[in-house]
Amino acid sequence: MAPTITARLASTPEMLACFDDDALVRAALTFERELAAVLAEHGVISAAAAVAVARACEGFDASGLADAAAHAGTLAIPLVARLRAAIPDHAAAVHVGASSQDVADTALALQVVQATRLLDRDLDGLADALATVARGHAATPALGRTLLQPAELVSFGMRAANWLLGIDAAQGRLAREYRAACRLELGGAVGSLFALGAVGPAVRDALAERLGLVAAPAWHSRRDSIAGLGAALGIVIGAIGKLARDVSLLMQREVAEVAEPLIAGRGGSSAMPHKRNPTGCQVALSAAIRAPGLVSGLLAGMPQELERGLGGWQAEAPVIAELYALAHGAVHAMRIVAEGLEIDTTAITAHASEAATTERDAALAAAMWFVDEALAMHDAAVARRADRYPG
Amino acid sequence: MAPTITARLASTPEMLACFDDDALVRAALTFERELAAVLAEHGVISAAAAVAVARACEGFDASGLADAAAHAGTLAIPLVARLRAAIPDHAAAVHVGASSQDVADTALALQVVQATRLLDRDLDGLADALATVARGHAATPALGRTLLQPAELVSFGMRAANWLLGIDAAQGRLAREYRAACRLELGGAVGSLFALGAVGPAVRDALAERLGLVAAPAWHSRRDSIAGLGAALGIVIGAIGKLARDVSLLMQREVAEVAEPLIAGRGGSSAMPHKRNPTGCQVALSAAIRAPGLVSGLLAGMPQELERGLGGWQAEAPVIAELYALAHGAVHAMRIVAEGLEIDTTAITAHASEAATTERDAALAAAMWFVDEALAMHDAAVARRADRYPG
Amino acid sequence: MAPTITARLASTPEMLACFDDDALVRAALTFERELAAVLAEHGVISAAAAVAVARACEGFDASGLADAAAHAGTLAIPLVARLRAAIPDHAAAVHVGASSQDVADTALALQVVQATRLLDRDLDGLADALATVARGHAATPALGRTLLQPAELVSFGMRAANWLLGIDAAQGRLAREYRAACRLELGGAVGSLFALGAVGPAVRDALAERLGLVAAPAWHSRRDSIAGLGAALGIVIGAIGKLARDVSLLMQREVAEVAEPLIAGRGGSSAMPHKRNPTGCQVALSAAIRAPGLVSGLLAGMPQELERGLGGWQAEAPVIAELYALAHGAVHAMRIVAEGLEIDTTAITAHASEAATTERDAALAAAMWFVDEALAMHDAAVARRADRYPG
Amino acid sequence: MAPTITARLASTPEMLACFDDDALVRAALTFERELAAVLAEHGVISAAAAVAVARACEGFDASGLADAAAHAGTLAIPLVARLRAAIPDHAAAVHVGASSQDVADTALALQVVQATRLLDRDLDGLADALATVARGHAATPALGRTLLQPAELVSFGMRAANWLLGIDAAQGRLAREYRAACRLELGGAVGSLFALGAVGPAVRDALAERLGLVAAPAWHSRRDSIAGLGAALGIVIGAIGKLARDVSLLMQREVAEVAEPLIAGRGGSSAMPHKRNPTGCQVALSAAIRAPGLVSGLLAGMPQELERGLGGWQAEAPVIAELYALAHGAVHAMRIVAEGLEIDTTAITAHASEAATTERDAALAAAMWFVDEALAMHDAAVARRADRYPG
């Protein structure tokens, strides 16, 4: 599925593909197929039935599924019905013990796994690019600006180090929330998995293992991990937005300390052909405007009714998808900006002379200390990357 | 373009089509074509050039446009480039005087026109259905409930009248905000339309007339009307959400005063086949959770920089589209619910006997007064429908 | 009650006083006193009883009321209990027919009346100051800036006219929403006012008249007008935030086209004594960050349960109060900025020379046309001020 | 300072006291006093000067401070001016190296320390009360309800275990975010602490140690930890809101499985004296409506300009205070509800018979497994309480 114009203006094809119909149906079928496999292992259904379910998943026809899901009120109902219809001899072996929400929540978790890896790839790249700027310009004197007025001496590397720390911290939070959120949902009708009897717990744990997700008590109406993930994405977007705010301010022609890299066909104006707009910043700032409200929607939906709620959990998946889309659009755009950032050292140094301090060496030394500390923290963050994904 | 599963679970194909790529490109081309026609009328370009632009619009090839727009940072740049390439002899006649934001804002306004008519169609139907219930059950005694506890005697028609008043008021506000928001954007590079010289004002007014939009000073960085429209949509969704909250509470089996109409294949459960879920309410309540944050995003984006902002206006169109999608999903679902609402008069009347009052006739008379007043207000709202759309 | 430091940093003593305990209790007592007077007029209670209620209101002791209200869960319960205790012979004449929510909602409406007049006073002043700037600098050439990059020629007056239009439009919307929101709540236990029997409607209308509020069907669980008022305040704040964004950008030392007026002791820095910070803009931008989420809370609370909800309406009054506080803080601060704005015509004119256009006269004429249209619209808005408040 | 009626309806006196003027000024003075002490230790100022600063803090007169702060645009300016005026011989020793934002951010951190301990105290109590219910009713059969319709067999203890898991998870997240947010701000004018020269780093670390806060690079314009803390509070409130939603639904007279404890004078109705309203749930649900928008404001403010922003950080402290107020109001109210919850085992068991399953023993065993797992997780959470606060 090709992304729409509106979606592409804010995000990347790769991230949009993580949440399109193909990905959603694939994730839902993965749940059904692996559930059947585990059920067969535990003697709940026959091995032949599990093979049949896998075959039905393989040949699944998704045409018209959107309308069917909308009519039913949930994707699982037509999806399960089609699987059953495809293997009449083993129809009873499909979706055993599971609820519609088990499919929906687990499919979302599987999409989140892919999406987080993609996002982290570019967050890593962006952070490393900023670390390079911080290191390279640790001693480049620059004019600090506070409350949008000239203030005192910093270094340009210190400014980059500040961006870096914000992004590393946001990414660290995202990793924590990801570990809480990438979990299997398998609770059946009311969360206890009672239809599977005594093997319920074992089936749950084995399915989590197979899917690379965390096993946890059914979380049908306990949505803190979704809200936490959304908030972490919102904070990532906010940290990127801060970088974009600064780059766009520093790129004003009256300041002209940095510029987004020149890319043919990007950042033009249909009314003023020779203009050069900060298009990467535009994408990131736009995301930073849209994200906070999306996060609030996840929080507002938390008080879900009793064992499984009405409307609350159904509101989450599109919002999580939108937050990943905005986050990756922003991160991807600003990675390009950071990697190719044009830094006018001459202009920066010239402006630095306007700082009032007479202790310029001390001020520069203090800025370099900030950079050193930030880079040490970044090194620690890089070292933690290896442990980012459980399983 | 077929809507995605996620989009369809929350909205209707008709509304999603108002904001899909086809609609967006069509609206953008309408702007360019009619602009050329008006420019020809005012002698800015030749009549032949206007014909050529119309021809280029007719044969426009939108393939790959999403990627091209994302690369450029705005839809207008590749769109205008393709139009110019299609008519090399008249390339200079395309997009004269206009900016990228003129295209984007006007295209949004044109989509809003279609979307509002669609939304109003089902709001009218929903309101009329509720008026019928209010009228028919004006004297059906019912138990009022406050703070989720049994309270005093009302009538079932009074409850419906309360829903009706909420929806009529929300629709009235939407009509006011629609009139403020359905306006042409034509300001050129910086809002003054200076590239058109002395005919600028006349061109603007004529183009507004042709497009069925309101003429107004360029509003490139003055976004109150967009925020107002979004808030009005949020309030529509909130009013529908209130109806859905009540229906879902009254449909609890322990209360069982009403039920959503039985529709084959709708409201089922993949884990409990005989269950009957309030699926219409689910759609509406889900929308009511998502909408408030979307509105806050529009408000947060208002402080846009100087003559045209960076990131702010680019954040709006997808949010307006999402609000219309959620609004129509909710309204459409609840119209079906209202039109087919199963009302168990026996149960309602039985519960009414639990009210403490000994002045039952007086209480019922008071409820009927409420209904009468509400229906009179509804009649006035119906009478105003004819004047809803300017032009 | 003196406002707290935190509250004062964001708002004015006058507006904070509109919503402090004194104002709240006074408004609640006004409701009870006038209700008694109207009830006496309609023969529901005796004239002597109404006099007694008025006397009890006069001598009301509010000490410890906050704790008592919190314990009861609503202000009305201890308030009514104290009134009754003060006049044992006429205890039964207090609060006849009314509910706790009637008091709470009407008290809020009465506070809103005062608050809106205060807000409008400074919005008028701010708008008029901007109109003066627009008129005075209609022909001062200035450099337009779009997407934070230099663009084309405008005039400084056109920029001010754009601010003006945004504020006038926001104020117009506020007036409309005010008219919908400044209404009496009188519905009794379940909204039908049944305890008053046949005189209910007449009592409601007479009380509305006395209080200067609009009469309407009880709106206990129909909260569109509160949400609409909140959204209108959010849009006012957004429009002021746009002005503040621009002033702060134009006040950057690298641009230096305008400056906030110099006020002794304002805008200093504890670390850099000679710095001059845009403190008015700070107040307004801070409000613009906080307001959107507050509005979303009002929208999120709309789906209130049945005849009177649980938690929803209780969440509104503090949010409306906060929005008025932020709005007036922002408007008051920016009125001072606008009235004393230091405009460096030399710098502005010098920057204007960087615009690319060769048609400078035409560009300036176009900007002046924009100013003329805006001022004509402002004149119309001024003329409508007289009709702003019903009753 | 006595809390206002509005504040008390939503929160507790204890929590409101954590953020009132006394607490704010005390925290700000603690910063100045301990900074002076550390500066003396490091030879930046004399020991006598540090003693004088401490004395000035002791005798500080806060009268009129709110107006003075509002005029200056920041609390630090009048606060520091008064300290200096009080000790003319040592005036230069006050606030050395620090900025206004250092005071503001550190004061907020110190208030957060107190507030978090208070909140945790009642969260612990609430969780333990729910654990007791879960344990005691692990085998009490109950009717599960999904999408607000009767579903399948659970146990009442399983329902309580689900509430417990949500609150434990939210509290765990709060502890993590608290550790990130309870940090000293000491960066001086531009974040590098350059005015202190080579001892800057040592001064920062020693001051953090003294204040019981974490040392970190200046975070003037890097606000992820504030946003993270706010989101964690929002999630706590959401988890409490879920509990309140459920209790209020189960307390409907038509369901009547539980009731809030009967407390004299609480939960009454001014219109219907014998009514018993779920007032604890009302407080919690009201908080759950207001909190999400507050969190969105913190996220929206993240893109702060350059070394220190304009309006962004100034918007945070009141929002954090409001979130703590709402959180504690909700937690405190629901702790009382949970500790005194009236559970009608007979009614619950009777409703359980409506569940469709014929495998009742298996269903109950599955529910008990859920309880066991949840209680084991709770025990682990209890064990982690000891390590909750760094330093």
Side-chain angles (χ1 to χ4, degrees):
Chain A
M1 298 177 74
T4 65
I5 295 169
T6 301
R8 271 294 278 126
L9 281 166
S11 191
T12 65
E14 292 79 13
M15 185 56 86
L16 293 168
C18 288
F19 293 98
D20 70 8
D21 273 8
D22 291 346
L24 173 57
V25 172
R26 194 165 54 241
L29 294 173
T30 298
F31 171 85
E32 298 292 354
R33 186 186 65 234
E34 298 303 318
L35 172 62
V38 171
L39 291 173
E41 280 172 12
H42 288 77
V44 181
I45 64 171
S46 69
V51 169
V53 173
R55 197 179 59 234
C57 290
E58 188 85 18
F60 190 82
D61 174 14
S63 60
L65 197 57
D67 285 344
H71 181 73
T74 168
L75 170 60
I77 289 181
L79 183 128
V80 168
R82 288 178 187 203
L83 289 175
R84 286 181 175 150
I87 49 169
D89 294 350
H90 296 287
V94 177
H95 194 67
V96 174
S99 69
S100 294
Q101 193 175 353
D102 290 339
V103 184
D105 283 349
T106 303
L108 179 61
L110 290 169
Q111 291 173 288
V112 160
V113 169
Q114 299 304 314
T116 305
R117 287 175 181 269
L118 179 59
L119 184 59
D120 272 329
R121 186 194 69 191
D122 284 312
L123 277 168
D124 289 353
L126 170 56
D128 293 344
L130 294 175
T132 301
V133 174
R135 196 173 292 113
H137 287 275
T140 304
L143 179 65
R145 293 176 182 88
T146 61
L147 296 92
L148 282 178
Q149 289 296 313
E152 272 293 356
L153 198 75
V154 296
S155 75
F156 191 78
M158 177 179 162
R159 185 170 280 152
N162 189 40
W163 297 331
L164 171 63
L165 286 173
I167 287 163
D168 276 347
Q171 202 179 1
R173 180 178 287 100
L174 178 63
R176 287 196 301 275
E177 295 294 349
Y178 170 79
R179 278 191 293 273
C182 71
R183 55 184 170 180
L184 173 66
E185 179 81 278
L186 188 67
V190 286
S192 64
L193 211 39
F194 76 92
L196 296 181
V199 299
V203 165
R204 188 196 71 183
D205 293 351
L207 182 55
E209 177 83 25
R210 265 182 180 263
L211 294 175
L213 300 174
V214 173
W219 42 287
H220 286 146
S221 62
R222 215 171 62 242
R223 312 303 286 182
D224 57 276
S225 65
I226 293 289
L229 179 65
L233 290 166
I235 292 174
V236 165
I237 293 168
I240 308 290
K242 190 270 184 284
L243 166 62
R245 175 80 73 209
D246 285 0
V247 169
S248 66
L249 288 171
L250 297 172
M251 190 173 157
Q252 292 173 99
R253 196 164 70 194
E254 297 84 355
V255 180
E257 299 191 355
V258 306
E260 290 201 5
L262 191 58
I263 297 172
R266 187 163 176 84
S269 158
S270 74
M272 295 166 282
H274 302 300
K275 200 152 164 276
R276 187 166 161 195
N277 288 321
T279 298
C281 294
Q282 169 188 305
V283 172
L285 288 169
S286 195
I289 289 168
R290 292 172 63 188
L294 294 171
V295 175
S296 75
L298 296 174
L299 291 165
M302 283 187 69
Q304 299 186 8
E305 298 87 358
L306 298 164
E307 275 61 48
R308 295 202 281 121
L310 182 71
W313 59 270
Q314 295 90 349
E316 294 166 351
V319 176
I320 289 287
E322 189 78 12
L323 283 166
Y324 271 104
L326 293 173
H328 198 242
V331 171
H332 185 262
M334 292 309 294
R335 178 182 180 175
I336 293 170
V337 170
E339 288 179 345
L341 192 68
E342 298 180 10
I343 302 170
D344 186 338
T345 309
T346 310
I348 292 169
T349 307
H351 298 160
S353 66
E354 296 172 35
T357 185
T358 54
E359 308 280 351
R360 304 187 74 79
D361 289 351
L364 211 51
M368 291 170 74
W369 162 60
F370 189 102
V371 174
D372 284 347
E373 191 171 19
L375 288 175
M377 292 170 74
H378 179 62
D379 288 345
V382 170
R384 281 192 299 271
R385 285 179 186 168
D387 309 321
R388 209 146 47 182
Y389 311 112
Chain B
M1 298 176 75
T4 65
I5 295 169
T6 302
R8 272 293 278 127
L9 281 166
S11 191
T12 65
E14 292 79 13
M15 185 56 86
L16 294 167
C18 288
F19 292 99
D20 69 8
D21 274 8
D22 290 346
L24 173 57
V25 172
R26 194 166 54 242
L29 293 174
T30 298
F31 171 85
E32 298 292 354
R33 185 187 65 233
E34 298 303 318
L35 172 62
V38 172
L39 290 172
E41 280 173 11
H42 288 77
V44 181
I45 64 172
S46 70
V51 170
V53 172
R55 198 178 59 233
C57 289
E58 187 86 18
F60 189 80
D61 174 14
S63 60
L65 197 57
D67 286 343
H71 181 73
T74 169
L75 169 60
I77 288 180
L79 183 127
V80 169
R82 288 178 187 202
L83 289 175
R84 287 180 175 151
I87 48 169
D89 293 351
H90 296 288
V94 178
H95 193 68
V96 174
S99 69
S100 294
Q101 192 175 355
D102 290 338
V103 184
D105 283 348
T106 302
L108 179 61
L110 290 169
Q111 292 173 288
V112 160
V113 169
Q114 299 305 313
T116 305
R117 288 175 181 269
L118 179 59
L119 184 60
D120 272 329
R121 185 195 70 192
D122 285 311
L123 277 168
D124 288 353
L126 170 56
D128 293 345
L130 294 175
T132 301
V133 175
R135 197 174 291 113
H137 288 274
T140 304
L143 179 64
R145 292 177 181 88
T146 60
L147 296 92
L148 282 178
Q149 288 296 311
E152 272 294 355
L153 198 75
V154 295
S155 75
F156 191 78
M158 177 179 162
R159 185 170 280 152
N162 189 41
W163 297 331
L164 171 63
L165 287 173
I167 287 163
D168 276 347
Q171 201 179 3
R173 179 178 287 100
L174 178 64
R176 287 196 300 276
E177 295 293 350
Y178 170 79
R179 279 191 292 272
C182 72
R183 54 183 170 183
L184 172 67
E185 178 81 276
L186 188 66
V190 286
S192 65
L193 212 38
F194 77 91
L196 296 182
V199 298
V203 165
R204 187 196 70 181
D205 293 351
L207 182 55
E209 177 83 25
R210 266 181 179 263
L211 294 175
L213 300 174
V214 173
W219 43 288
H220 287 148
S221 62
R222 213 172 63 242
R223 312 303 286 183
D224 57 276
S225 65
I226 293 288
L229 179 64
L233 290 165
I235 292 173
V236 165
I237 293 168
I240 308 291
K242 190 272 184 283
L243 166 61
R245 174 80 74 209
D246 285 1
V247 170
S248 66
L249 289 170
L250 297 172
M251 190 173 158
Q252 294 174 98
R253 196 162 72 194
E254 296 85 355
V255 180
E257 299 191 354
V258 307
E260 291 200 5
L262 191 59
I263 297 171
R266 187 163 175 85
S269 157
S270 75
M272 295 165 283
H274 303 300
K275 198 151 166 276
R276 186 166 160 195
N277 289 321
T279 298
C281 295
Q282 169 188 304
V283 171
L285 288 169
S286 195
I289 289 168
R290 291 172 63 188
L294 294 171
V295 175
S296 74
L298 296 174
L299 292 165
M302 283 186 69
Q304 298 185 9
E305 299 88 355
L306 299 164
E307 275 62 49
R308 295 201 282 124
L310 182 71
W313 60 271
Q314 296 90 349
E316 294 166 351
V319 176
I320 290 288
E322 189 78 12
L323 282 166
Y324 271 104
L326 293 173
H328 197 242
V331 171
H332 185 261
M334 292 310 294
R335 177 183 180 174
I336 293 170
V337 170
E339 289 179 344
L341 192 67
E342 298 180 11
I343 301 171
D344 186 339
T345 308
T346 311
I348 292 170
T349 308
H351 298 161
S353 67
E354 297 171 33
T357 186
T358 55
E359 308 280 353
R360 304 186 74 79
D361 289 350
L364 211 52
M368 290 170 72
W369 162 60
F370 189 103
V371 173
D372 284 345
E373 191 171 20
L375 289 175
M377 292 170 74
H378 179 61
D379 288 344
V382 170
R384 279 193 299 272
R385 285 179 187 169
D387 309 320
R388 210 147 45 184
Y389 310 112
Chain C
M1 299 177 73
T4 65
I5 296 169
T6 302
R8 272 293 278 126
L9 281 167
S11 191
T12 65
E14 291 79 14
M15 185 56 86
L16 294 167
C18 289
F19 292 98
D20 69 8
D21 273 9
D22 290 346
L24 173 57
V25 172
R26 195 166 53 242
L29 294 173
T30 298
F31 171 85
E32 299 291 355
R33 186 186 65 232
E34 298 303 318
L35 172 62
V38 172
L39 291 172
E41 281 172 11
H42 288 77
V44 182
I45 64 172
S46 69
V51 169
V53 173
R55 199 179 57 234
C57 290
E58 188 86 16
F60 190 81
D61 174 14
S63 60
L65 197 58
D67 285 344
H71 181 73
T74 168
L75 169 60
I77 289 180
L79 184 127
V80 169
R82 290 179 185 202
L83 289 175
R84 287 181 175 149
I87 48 169
D89 293 349
H90 296 289
V94 178
H95 193 68
V96 174
S99 68
S100 294
Q101 192 174 355
D102 290 338
V103 185
D105 282 349
T106 302
L108 179 61
L110 290 169
Q111 292 173 288
V112 160
V113 169
Q114 299 304 315
T116 306
R117 286 176 182 268
L118 179 59
L119 184 59
D120 271 329
R121 186 195 69 192
D122 285 311
L123 277 168
D124 289 352
L126 170 55
D128 293 344
L130 294 175
T132 301
V133 175
R135 196 173 292 113
H137 287 275
T140 304
L143 179 64
R145 293 176 181 88
T146 61
L147 297 92
L148 282 179
Q149 289 296 313
E152 271 294 357
L153 198 75
V154 295
S155 74
F156 191 77
M158 176 179 163
R159 184 170 282 153
N162 189 41
W163 297 331
L164 172 63
L165 286 173
I167 287 163
D168 276 347
Q171 201 178 2
R173 179 179 287 99
L174 178 64
R176 286 196 302 276
E177 295 294 349
Y178 170 79
R179 279 191 292 273
C182 71
R183 55 183 170 181
L184 173 67
E185 178 80 278
L186 189 66
V190 287
S192 64
L193 212 37
F194 76 93
L196 297 181
V199 299
V203 167
R204 187 196 71 182
D205 293 351
L207 182 55
E209 177 82 24
R210 265 181 179 264
L211 294 175
L213 300 175
V214 173
W219 43 287
H220 287 147
S221 61
R222 215 173 61 243
R223 312 303 287 182
D224 58 275
S225 65
I226 293 289
L229 179 64
L233 290 166
I235 291 173
V236 165
I237 293 169
I240 308 291
K242 191 272 183 284
L243 167 61
R245 175 81 73 209
D246 285 1
V247 170
S248 65
L249 289 171
L250 296 173
M251 189 173 157
Q252 294 173 98
R253 196 162 72 195
E254 297 85 354
V255 179
E257 299 191 354
V258 306
E260 291 200 6
L262 190 59
I263 297 171
R266 187 162 175 86
S269 157
S270 75
M272 294 166 283
H274 303 299
K275 199 153 165 272
R276 187 166 161 194
N277 288 321
T279 298
C281 295
Q282 170 189 304
V283 172
L285 289 169
S286 195
I289 289 169
R290 291 171 64 188
L294 294 171
V295 175
S296 74
L298 296 174
L299 292 166
M302 284 186 69
Q304 298 185 10
E305 298 88 357
L306 299 163
E307 276 62 47
R308 295 201 281 122
L310 182 71
W313 60 270
Q314 295 91 347
E316 294 165 352
V319 176
I320 289 288
E322 189 79 12
L323 283 167
Y324 271 103
L326 293 174
H328 197 241
V331 170
H332 185 261
M334 292 310 294
R335 178 183 179 174
I336 293 171
V337 170
E339 288 180 345
L341 192 67
E342 298 180 10
I343 301 171
D344 187 338
T345 308
T346 310
I348 292 170
T349 308
H351 298 161
S353 67
E354 297 171 34
T357 185
T358 54
E359 308 280 352
R360 304 186 74 80
D361 289 349
L364 211 50
M368 291 170 73
W369 163 60
F370 188 103
V371 174
D372 284 346
E373 191 170 22
L375 288 175
M377 292 170 74
H378 179 62
D379 288 343
V382 170
R384 279 192 300 271
R385 285 179 188 169
D387 309 321
R388 210 146 47 182
Y389 310 112
Chain D
M1 300 176 73
T4 66
I5 296 169
T6 302
R8 272 293 277 128
L9 281 166
S11 190
T12 65
E14 292 79 13
M15 185 56 86
L16 294 167
C18 288
F19 292 99
D20 69 7
D21 274 8
D22 291 345
L24 173 57
V25 172
R26 195 166 53 241
L29 293 174
T30 298
F31 171 84
E32 298 292 353
R33 185 186 66 233
E34 298 303 317
L35 172 62
V38 172
L39 290 173
E41 281 173 11
H42 289 77
V44 181
I45 64 172
S46 70
V51 169
V53 172
R55 198 179 59 233
C57 289
E58 188 85 15
F60 189 82
D61 174 13
S63 61
L65 197 58
D67 285 343
H71 181 74
T74 169
L75 169 60
I77 288 180
L79 183 127
V80 168
R82 288 178 187 203
L83 289 175
R84 286 182 176 151
I87 47 168
D89 293 350
H90 296 288
V94 177
H95 193 67
V96 174
S99 68
S100 294
Q101 192 175 354
D102 290 339
V103 185
D105 283 349
T106 302
L108 179 61
L110 290 169
Q111 292 172 289
V112 160
V113 169
Q114 299 305 314
T116 305
R117 287 175 181 268
L118 179 58
L119 184 59
D120 272 329
R121 185 194 70 191
D122 285 312
L123 276 168
D124 289 353
L126 170 55
D128 292 345
L130 294 175
T132 300
V133 175
R135 196 174 292 112
H137 287 275
T140 304
L143 179 63
R145 293 176 181 89
T146 61
L147 296 92
L148 282 179
Q149 289 296 311
E152 272 294 356
L153 198 75
V154 295
S155 74
F156 191 77
M158 177 179 161
R159 185 171 280 154
N162 188 41
W163 297 330
L164 172 63
L165 287 173
I167 287 164
D168 276 346
Q171 201 179 0
R173 179 179 288 98
L174 178 63
R176 286 197 301 275
E177 294 294 348
Y178 170 79
R179 279 191 292 273
C182 72
R183 54 182 170 183
L184 172 68
E185 179 80 276
L186 188 67
V190 286
S192 65
L193 212 37
F194 76 92
L196 297 182
V199 298
V203 166
R204 187 195 71 183
D205 293 352
L207 182 56
E209 177 83 24
R210 266 181 179 263
L211 294 174
L213 300 175
V214 173
W219 43 288
H220 287 148
S221 62
R222 215 171 63 242
R223 312 303 287 183
D224 57 276
S225 64
I226 293 289
L229 179 66
L233 290 165
I235 291 173
V236 165
I237 293 168
I240 307 291
K242 190 271 185 284
L243 166 62
R245 175 80 74 209
D246 284 2
V247 169
S248 66
L249 288 171
L250 296 173
M251 189 173 159
Q252 294 173 99
R253 196 163 72 196
E254 297 85 355
V255 180
E257 299 191 354
V258 307
E260 290 201 6
L262 191 58
I263 298 171
R266 187 163 175 85
S269 158
S270 75
M272 295 165 283
H274 303 300
K275 200 153 165 272
R276 187 165 160 195
N277 289 321
T279 298
C281 295
Q282 169 189 304
V283 172
L285 288 169
S286 196
I289 289 168
R290 291 171 63 188
L294 295 171
V295 175
S296 74
L298 296 174
L299 292 165
M302 283 187 69
Q304 298 185 8
E305 299 87 357
L306 298 163
E307 275 63 48
R308 296 201 283 122
L310 182 71
W313 60 270
Q314 295 90 348
E316 293 166 351
V319 176
I320 290 287
E322 189 78 13
L323 283 167
Y324 271 103
L326 293 173
H328 197 242
V331 170
H332 185 260
M334 292 310 294
R335 177 182 180 175
I336 292 170
V337 170
E339 289 179 345
L341 192 67
E342 298 181 10
I343 301 171
D344 186 339
T345 308
T346 310
I348 292 170
T349 307
H351 298 161
S353 67
E354 296 171 34
T357 185
T358 55
E359 309 279 353
R360 304 186 73 79
D361 289 349
L364 211 51
M368 291 170 73
W369 162 60
F370 188 102
V371 174
D372 284 347
E373 191 171 20
L375 288 175
M377 291 170 74
H378 179 61
D379 287 345
V382 170
R384 280 192 299 272
R385 285 179 187 168
D387 309 320
R388 211 146 46 182
Y389 310 113

